[in-house]
Amino acid sequence: MKILGIETSCDETGVAIYDDANGLLANQLYSQIKLHADYGGVVPELASRDHIRKTVPLIQAALKEANVVPADIAGVAYTAGPGLIGALMVGASIGRSLAYAWNVPAIAVHHMEGHLLAPMLESNPPEFPFVALLVSGGHTQLISVTGIGQYELIGESIDDAAGEAFDKTAKLLGLDYPGGAKLSKLAEQGNGARFHFPRPMTDRPGLDFSFSGLKTAAANIIHQHSDNHIIDAQTKADIARAFEDALVDTLVIKSRRALDQTGFKNLVIAGGVSANQTLRNRLTELMHQRKGQVYYPRLEFCTDNGAMIAYAGMIHLKAKQYSDLAINVRPRWPLSELNAS
């Protein structure tokens, strides 16, 4: 049984075809980074228009890559939220229309469930139960996962998400958009002992995050060490290193607490920030110490992609959880509202 997955929640157009017997057959992705770079961030209207231009050609390319025809497709999955409403409407409209034309079920997929299940695409998938750390530009969440559809939110950011804090701090350092990965690369050249930033909300109980104060601390240091808005290269690297260390430490501390609270032995990390090598190394060390296991998606599946939507859609297709003819998207959609399959 094969399913087509469509992802258009923000600034990447992803289309994939997944087969429940043979795995991923096709994975097409188009990034809008160059389109939004001049604006220093995603422009929703431009994102929507670009999805309109790219989605159908990518579907055609995916069908060709997988060597299948529409008659081979058993269902169409699309991201219904959360995300930018205009961008979501593009994928939902195309996905729902194709499903109607091909006379197959349509499946509305939660974007963050797609990220959470992305490690299931690997040859060594995690077993339930596990704690999931979802870290991206729009979300930082800790989820207790006891099965498909059985998700309990146990911690989240009360302000900026981790990826958002990375990008905003990178912009303060004068790095080009998207700056998170560039900041991490710059941090490799930094002296970790020169500056020390706070580890927000780690001095009190609980699993929630807050990164806006960390970004403000970085802004203050940048201001103190700049001369007429110019800062030397080594100081930039040292600030980047201190910022990354503080953010990663915070994520590791909260993940440890979540594992203590749940008693689970497995940890999943997914979302764009899960590609950060420092974070991966620290969490690997943490789980080695705890005699547990950490699971990641491959790098290409850390950012938004159609493969994770196709996989999540296949699970819901098998459970006969279909969407009706109405085209509904939810820019805000708590993961906890998903029903168990």
Side-chain angles (χ1 to χ4, degrees):
M1 187 162 59
K2 301 174 181 62
I3 190 168
L4 175 74
I6 302 171
E7 157 61 27
T8 62
S9 65
C10 190
D11 60 344
E12 271 127 359
T13 311
V15 176
I17 295 174
Y18 183 82
D19 187 309
D20 64 339
N22 300 303
L24 191 64
L25 303 182
N27 184 43
Q28 297 285 324
L29 183 68
Y30 175 79
S31 174
Q32 299 178 0
I33 285 177
K34 291 182 180 178
L35 175 66
H36 301 290
D38 289 342
Y39 304 95
V42 177
V43 181
E45 177 65 21
L46 295 181
S48 302
R49 293 180 182 181
D50 214 43
H51 286 308
I52 292 172
R53 287 191 289 266
K54 300 297 182 182
T55 304
V56 171
L58 287 179
I59 291 171
Q60 294 170 331
L63 290 170
K64 183 177 180 180
E65 180 186 351
N67 193 28
V68 300
V69 296
D72 298 323
I73 301 297
V76 179
Y78 58 86
T79 302
L84 303 175
I85 187 168
L88 291 169
M89 281 298 297
V90 175
S93 298
I94 294 173
R96 175 64 266 186
S97 299
L98 281 179
Y100 183 80
W102 294 347
N103 194 30
V104 296
I107 302 97
V109 173
H110 192 292
H111 179 74
M112 298 311 293
E113 184 180 31
H115 276 303
L116 187 154
L117 296 176
M120 299 295 186
L121 290 161
E122 304 305 324
S123 58
N124 180 33
E127 295 183 357
F128 301 110
F130 57 77
V131 169
L133 172 64
L134 304 183
V135 276
S136 66
H139 299 84
T140 302
Q141 299 177 330
L142 282 164
I143 311 288
S144 169
V145 182
T146 53
I148 297 295
Q150 299 171 12
Y151 313 128
E152 179 188 358
L153 178 67
I154 55 177
E156 65 181 334
S157 178
I158 63 174
D159 43 54
D160 290 354
E164 184 180 6
F166 260 117
D167 286 340
K168 287 181 177 179
T169 303
K171 188 172 184 179
L172 291 171
L173 287 169
L175 303 178
D176 293 335
Y177 172 85
K182 295 180 176 66
L183 185 149
S184 294
K185 186 68 176 176
L186 182 62
E188 294 175 4
Q189 311 301 319
N191 175 5
R194 183 176 177 189
F195 300 113
H196 181 81
F197 291 154
R199 276 58 175 165
M201 296 182 70
T202 59
D203 59 347
R204 68 195 76 174
L207 297 173
D208 287 338
F209 303 90
S210 172
F211 294 114
S212 63
L214 181 57
K215 177 195 64 184
T216 300
N220 290 337
I221 291 293
I222 291 168
H223 177 73
Q224 293 170 16
H225 290 81
S226 63
D227 182 12
N228 196 25
H229 303 292
I230 297 175
I231 186 169
D232 68 85
Q234 187 57 53
T235 299
K236 277 188 179 183
D238 294 343
I239 294 173
R241 172 68 182 276
F243 175 85
E244 182 179 66
D245 284 349
L247 192 144
V248 167
D249 277 354
T250 302
L251 293 174
V252 172
I253 290 168
K254 296 289 184 169
S255 295
R256 183 190 300 116
R257 287 185 186 177
L259 291 163
D260 287 341
Q261 179 174 308
T262 61
F264 297 163
K265 298 296 185 182
N266 292 332
L267 174 68
V268 161
I269 173 174
V273 181
S274 69
N276 182 281
Q277 194 58 53
T278 301
L279 178 59
R280 288 189 173 215
N281 292 342
R282 290 290 310 282
L283 289 176
T284 298
E285 292 173 6
L286 171 67
M287 298 312 292
H288 179 73
Q289 293 168 2
R290 300 178 67 95
K291 295 181 171 54
Q293 183 69 41
V294 61
Y295 298 86
Y296 313 96
R298 69 193 76 168
L299 292 179
E300 64 185 294
F301 294 158
C302 290
T303 53
D304 296 348
N305 63 88
M308 67 183 191
I309 302 304
Y311 181 84
M314 178 62 77
I315 290 171
H316 292 288
L317 178 63
K318 287 183 172 182
K320 301 187 183 306
Q321 296 175 335
Y322 309 146
S323 303
D324 57 28
L325 283 173
I327 298 173
N328 294 315
V329 297
R330 298 183 62 179
R332 297 182 182 276
W333 187 5
L335 188 61
S336 58
E337 291 183 6
L338 288 180
N339 293 323
S341 351

